[in-house]
Amino acid sequence: MNEENELSYFKGGLAIGVSLGIISGIASTLWYQKQRTVDADLVLENVKEAFLKEGPIEGSWIEFEKKPLRKFAIHSKTYNGGISRLEDGVMVQYEFTADALTGTVIDVKRIKE
């Protein structure tokens, strides 16, 4: 009878351990998915691809450091970057802001010279 109790305790402890492992694995996966950001190079490639549809570009850049952005109640991490190209023989520069979590371009501004 004593051996049966020990085996029962072992099975109960094993079940609790496995359950805790599964729960913590799911929780850490969900946390990682929420914290994961899109690579800055990929964001820049997507922006360049969109600009290339309208014509050639001369240069591009992106800051790899994520910066916080707050617009009203919305908080986000963003990348800032730029594109330059010739338009009617004049060099024109654009700056863009992209969401670091999704890679979506939030804003594009033409820089006046």
Side-chain angles (χ1 to χ4, degrees):
M1 184 89 151
N2 196 12
E3 257 181 54
E4 288 179 14
N5 282 342
E6 287 179 14
L7 186 60
S8 176
Y9 286 138
F10 175 75
K11 287 180 182 178
L14 184 62
I16 290 172
V18 168
S19 299
L20 287 174
I22 290 172
I23 290 170
S24 64
I26 291 170
S28 63
T29 300
L30 292 174
W31 177 82
Y32 174 74
Q33 291 291 332
K34 188 175 180 182
Q35 299 299 318
R36 185 176 65 175
T37 60
V38 177
D39 185 44
D41 286 325
L42 182 60
V43 172
L44 182 59
E45 288 301 317
N46 290 338
V47 172
K48 285 169 54 176
E49 187 177 304
F51 270 85
L52 283 170
K53 290 178 183 176
E54 294 184 359
I57 59 175
E58 295 293 318
S60 61
W61 60 272
I62 192 163
E63 293 178 5
F64 284 84
E65 181 181 339
K66 296 177 234 23
K67 297 191 176 179
L69 175 71
R70 180 177 179 210
K71 281 197 171 189
F72 306 106
I74 306 299
H75 298 266
S76 184
K77 294 177 185 174
T78 61
Y79 293 120
N80 294 324
I83 300 283
S84 59
R85 67 176 176 190
L86 286 173
E87 292 181 359
D88 298 326
V90 177
M91 185 65 70
V92 178
Q93 295 184 5
Y94 295 89
E95 285 187 353
F96 65 87
T97 303
D99 187 336
L101 297 176
T102 63
T104 305
V105 175
I106 298 171
D107 191 24
V108 177
K109 295 178 186 174
R110 182 177 175 163
I111 308 298
K112 297 187 179 176
E113 295 194 28

